[in-house]
Amino acid sequence: MGRLSVNLLGIELDNPVIPASGTFGYGYEFAELYDINVLGTFSFKGTTREARFGNPTPRIAECSAGMINAVGLQNPGVDAVISHELPLLKKCFNKKVMANVSGFSVEDYAYVCERLDAEEQVGWLEVNVSCPNVHGGGMSFGTSPEAAAEVVRAVKAVTKKPVIVKLSPNVTDVVAIAKACEAAGADGISLINTLLGMRVDIRRRRPVIANKMGGFSGPAIFPVAVRMVYQVSHAVKIPVIGMGGVASAEDVIEMMMAGATAVEIGAQNLIDPYACKKIIEDLPRVMDEYKIENLKDIIGVIE
Amino acid sequence: MKQSIFTIIENAALTRDVWRMRLRGDTSAITAAGQFVNIQLDGLFLRRPISVCDCEGDVLTLIYKVVGKGTAQMAKMSAGETLDVLTGLGNGYDLSCAGEHPLLIGGGVGVPPLYMLAKQLRARGLRVSVILGFNTESEIFCREDFAALGCDVTVTTVDGSYGTKGFVTDAMGADYSYFYTCGPEPMLKAVYRASKTSGQMSFEERMGCGFGACMGCSCKTLTGNKRICKEGPVMRKEEIIWED
């Protein structure tokens, strides 16, 4: 085991760096740029029962140190993911992948998770109960402890692989929701999904984004993410994956000190397709600088 | 796609708000006319997608209109400064369909990508007609550049201050084997309706990444969902679905 390695729910990762869902497709497009086997793993594009086109365009708005997206879970649906995307991924990625799942009903979540649980390359299921961009689904499950717990129970009943619940920051008490997920049998928590945001085009006097609101991500949200990772990781016994605005090796270390076992990187991939590779290459140097022998030693060192 | 650092060798205004920037760097990923590059600018989070006007050896030419913060910042840059650029993005135009007498139709800042296309079509010895549409005479740029390639150039202005008065469609006629176009969406729609042959049209959309990762710029077509940045920006006339 190298000094960057961490254990995520029984699977050893070479390093804690994980491209976040929705910023890395199904992996193979980034494999044209570099060998994606350097990654700890990655979380693939949020997958639903049926194919989805997503929201109307414009779906993207720029912000200071960040961006808003309102893609709305565009994906080819679980059948096509299994028949088309995963075989392409297998050719360029020889590690376990994290399957990101979204739904519009408890049954949807259970169905898609059960299907993906049967795929050999899937190492973990990341259940997204926090997408801010779809109505009647996604975030509505992640904003109440009872609804989130119900999804967790339904998914756990039909799967064998570790279930990680991806939580929304758009709630009054994220700790209560994390605890409810833990009590319902979740194996891990990942957070934060995007913050609900909005921009107005003052020349045209209308929202920049066709769907009006969207998910705000990027370095601007990093302090919010660190705070929530700290709060949740100190309140639950299951591992926490930290994400939200991570853009450098220093950010990875900060997130881990706050309590994260592994770290997802999202928006940064969109402005620098080599971001994760650079961060992994940079980690040993930054660890030396801060006298960190092994990354696993710093997880949650902040009391 | 390639990420590399380019050095600005020239950045000059062509009209009140349209600029030409020439840069030197690794252009090896640029494989077709109609592709674009995505430029990182200090202090701005998202890159700015700009169409390739020309690419000759290690010199990349971009013509851009100042429309917001990013392009305003580009206009302030000088020779010797460097930019982080993703190159070789998008599909570009397919020249194989051109026939004997292709017609190129550009509107405003949609004109630049047609320059490299015209150059390649002329290099194949084809007779190339070009219609360039602008609002008014003071906004005209690139006319002489197309003429120097040996293209038959018609300019239209909405106010009639130069060339044919009206829109590009008023100058289209019927004497062409195929068309290629780039411009604002209302113009593309008008060209689509007025066109008598098959053709290819280049579209614009707000992008997140520019290389297919974020699904920010998706559109529906008759051949399935496409990302403007990856399977586009050039679409074939036959696959386009117009949304109101």
Side-chain angles (χ1 to χ4, degrees):
Chain A
M1 297 303 118
R3 53 194 297 236
L4 269 60
S5 70
V6 293
N7 188 294
L8 183 62
L9 294 163
I11 300 173
E12 200 70 15
L13 302 184
D14 293 335
N15 61 69
V17 175
I18 304 173
S21 181
T23 65
F24 214 73
Y26 292 92
Y28 52 85
E29 279 166 340
F30 281 79
E32 292 171 18
L33 302 176
Y34 65 90
D35 179 5
I36 62 172
N37 289 295
V38 302
L39 302 167
T41 179
F42 76 95
S43 182
F44 68 52
K45 176 75 187 155
T47 298
T48 53
R49 185 173 190 144
E50 312 290 344
R52 287 179 54 83
F53 173 71
N55 291 321
T57 53
R59 297 172 171 184
I60 302 289
E62 184 169 72
C63 310
S64 298
M67 61 181 285
I68 294 176
N69 90 80
V71 170
L73 295 175
Q74 179 174 351
N75 80 94
V78 68
D79 288 338
V81 167
I82 289 170
S83 65
H84 181 70
E85 308 292 343
L86 291 183
L88 286 174
L89 172 62
K90 204 179 174 76
K91 288 184 191 156
C92 57
F93 193 55
N94 55 35
K95 296 181 172 181
K96 296 287 186 190
V97 70
M98 192 176 289
N100 186 285
V101 173
S102 209
F104 296 85
S105 66
V106 172
E107 294 72 35
D108 275 3
Y109 279 106
Y111 175 80
V112 177
C113 285
E114 187 174 9
R115 295 285 310 278
L116 291 170
D117 191 63
E119 291 299 311
E120 195 203 335
Q121 195 165 11
V122 171
W124 312 259
L125 296 153
E126 185 180 49
V127 179
N128 176 11
V129 291
S130 46
C131 178
N133 290 325
V134 294
H135 296 290
M139 196 168 82
S140 60
F141 291 101
T143 49
S144 110
E146 296 74 28
E150 196 189 343
V151 172
V152 173
R153 277 192 296 271
V155 168
K156 283 297 290 178
V158 294
T159 56
K160 297 185 186 67
K161 290 174 176 163
V163 171
I164 297 161
V165 190
K166 182 168 176 179
L167 297 184
S168 172
N170 305 306
V171 295
T172 347
D173 185 359
V174 71
V175 168
I177 294 167
K179 282 182 155 174
C181 291
E182 181 181 37
D187 300 290
I189 299 287
S190 64
L191 79 169
I192 57 175
N193 203 320
T194 55
L195 288 152
L196 194 58
M198 179 168 170
R199 295 299 306 271
V200 170
D201 180 334
I202 58 173
R203 192 190 308 271
R204 297 193 173 96
R205 300 190 179 202
R206 63 183 191 211
V208 173
I209 284 186
N211 210 33
K212 293 185 182 166
M213 288 169 249
F216 179 32
S217 62
I221 73 164
F222 182 65
V224 178
V226 171
R227 185 264 294 180
M228 288 193 164
V229 165
Y230 172 78
Q231 287 179 311
V232 168
S233 63
H234 285 69
V236 298
K237 294 188 175 61
I238 53 179
V240 169
I241 301 175
M243 77 185 99
V246 175
S248 66
E250 286 85 352
D251 292 348
V252 169
I253 288 170
E254 185 170 341
M255 202 56 112
M256 292 183 78
M257 285 185 173
T261 297
V263 177
E264 291 190 28
I265 292 165
Q268 198 66 20
N269 295 313
L270 306 182
I271 58 167
D272 177 3
Y274 295 92
C276 288
K277 180 177 191 281
K278 288 177 187 166
I279 289 171
I280 293 163
E281 289 168 354
D282 212 21
L283 270 168
R285 179 190 66 77
V286 179
M287 287 163 66
D288 288 344
E289 189 180 342
Y290 295 98
K291 304 196 167 25
I292 298 164
E293 187 55 41
N294 292 297
L295 272 185
K296 55 172 83 73
D297 299 339
I298 62 164
I299 298 169
V301 292
I302 306 301
E303 295 284 320
Chain B
M1 174 168 84
K2 197 161 238 173
Q3 179 180 23
S4 52
I5 303 297
F6 279 70
T7 304
I8 299 172
I9 49 183
E10 176 195 292
N11 191 25
L14 299 180
T15 71
R16 192 175 55 83
D17 54 6
V18 173
W19 291 66
R20 180 174 59 212
M21 182 183 277
R22 292 170 67 233
L23 309 104
R24 196 179 298 278
D26 180 353
T27 60
S28 60
I30 300 170
T31 54
Q35 287 183 321
F36 65 97
V37 299
N38 214 359
I39 304 177
Q40 193 164 65
L41 295 162
D42 284 346
L44 298 175
F45 189 69
L46 296 175
R47 289 172 181 265
R48 294 303 193 266
I50 308 282
S51 62
V52 171
C53 172
D54 196 15
C55 174
E56 189 76 67
D58 63 354
V59 177
L60 168 68
T61 304
L62 307 173
I63 292 182
Y64 59 96
K65 184 176 179 179
V66 175
V67 293
K69 270 189 204 171
T71 42
Q73 200 165 311
M74 283 174 68
K76 291 198 181 79
M77 298 188 78
S78 321
E81 290 188 74
T82 58
L83 286 168
D84 177 324
V85 185
L86 294 179
T87 54
L89 305 177
N91 57 352
Y93 293 106
D94 178 356
L95 276 68
S96 68
C97 320
E100 290 302 306
H101 180 206
L103 173 63
L104 279 49
I105 308 153
V109 80
V111 167
L114 298 179
Y115 178 76
M116 185 167 159
L117 175 67
K119 197 161 130 182
Q120 292 178 351
L121 292 168
R122 286 293 297 148
R124 293 183 172 203
L126 300 177
R127 179 181 157 213
V128 178
S129 291
V130 181
I131 304 171
L132 307 177
F134 299 96
N135 287 311
T136 187
E137 183 175 8
S138 64
E139 294 180 7
I140 297 171
F141 60 89
C142 272
R143 189 186 63 81
E144 301 81 4
D145 301 309
F146 283 95
L149 292 176
C151 301
D152 170 17
V153 183
T154 305
V155 172
T156 65
T157 52
V158 177
D159 67 359
S161 54
Y162 186 94
T164 307
K165 181 175 162 61
F167 297 102
V168 290
T169 43
D170 294 316
M172 275 175 71
D175 176 26
Y176 53 92
S177 54
Y178 195 77
F179 74 89
Y180 296 93
T181 185
C182 183
E185 199 162 309
M187 186 202 92
L188 297 184
K189 206 183 265 192
V191 168
Y192 176 93
R193 291 196 178 122
S195 59
K196 309 238 186 309
T197 67
S198 183
Q200 292 168 34
M201 329 187 81
S202 182
F203 285 81
E204 258 191 347
E205 187 51 78
R206 272 182 189 266
M207 291 176 185
C209 62
F211 52 89
C214 73
M215 317 297 267
C217 62
S218 299
C219 69
K220 292 176 184 171
T221 76
L222 293 171
T223 50
N225 297 337
K226 294 197 168 183
R227 295 162 291 187
I228 300 279
C229 72
K230 185 84 179 177
E231 289 85 26
V234 178
M235 309 276 172
R236 285 166 198 274
K237 179 184 169 184
E238 291 72 24
E239 63 183 335
I240 294 165
I241 300 173
W242 296 105
E243 300 199 19
D244 298 320

